[in-house]
Amino acid sequence: MVEEAASVPTPMATDAKREGLWHRFKRWLIKPEVHQLVTHDNEVYGPEEIEELQMTSQFSRRQIFRLYDIFMGLDVYEQGKLTVNEFFKLPQLSSNPLQERIRCVLHLQDDNECMSFRQFVNHLSVFNPTMSRDAKLRFAFSIYDIDGDGRINRADLVSILRLVVGDMLTDEQLELLAARTMVEHENSRTEQYMNFEEFSKSMVNTDFDTKMSIYF
């Protein structure tokens, strides 16, 4: 009877066990704050580097850490760097019909070229929802300005439309659509084109900011 009674847990023992489990749960739930990020090639981003990334990209600290997780996930060979091809495996970019133009504007046309985590963050900064509208407009203008002459002409528009709609429209339909767009922004010039200011005005009543943003 004595041995049997000793095997029965007392209220105090049960409470102690519960308290121990609660402390273990809290340690799991409240993880210690991470003060640095380390890539697979042992490149360290301490508090100062993280703060600098926040300033240059306008991403929040939380977003920087989220981007780090994405970067490490894309770095499947654990090189500490991403190739351009791996960078464009981001779902938000891989399915973008203007991917080739984005590659061109970001100067990322060599699939085997590598980028660090810092470059990864900076390349994505233009898609930050909090990035200035002017920066987004200038980036978009560069995408449309295929020949890089500082203006968007009819040929530029046709090329962009072809990338966006693919085979859904004929070349003749694309030409007509581009011509109609240029007429809508017609001015006193004999040559039809849009400069940056005119392009900006054309985006006033659109959801441009949303389409130019990626949420991390």
Side-chain angles (χ1 to χ4, degrees), residues 154-165:
R154 183 168 163 176
D156 291 332
L157 275 181
V158 170
S159 297
I160 290 295
L161 288 169
R162 185 173 288 114
L163 289 173
V164 173
V165 303

Side-chain angles (χ1 to χ4, degrees), residues 10 22 28 56 90 99 102 148-149 163 176:
T10 65
W22 170 242
W28 173 84
T56 57
L90 274 169
Q99 181 187 140
I102 295 173
D149 64 352
L163 289 173
L176 288 172

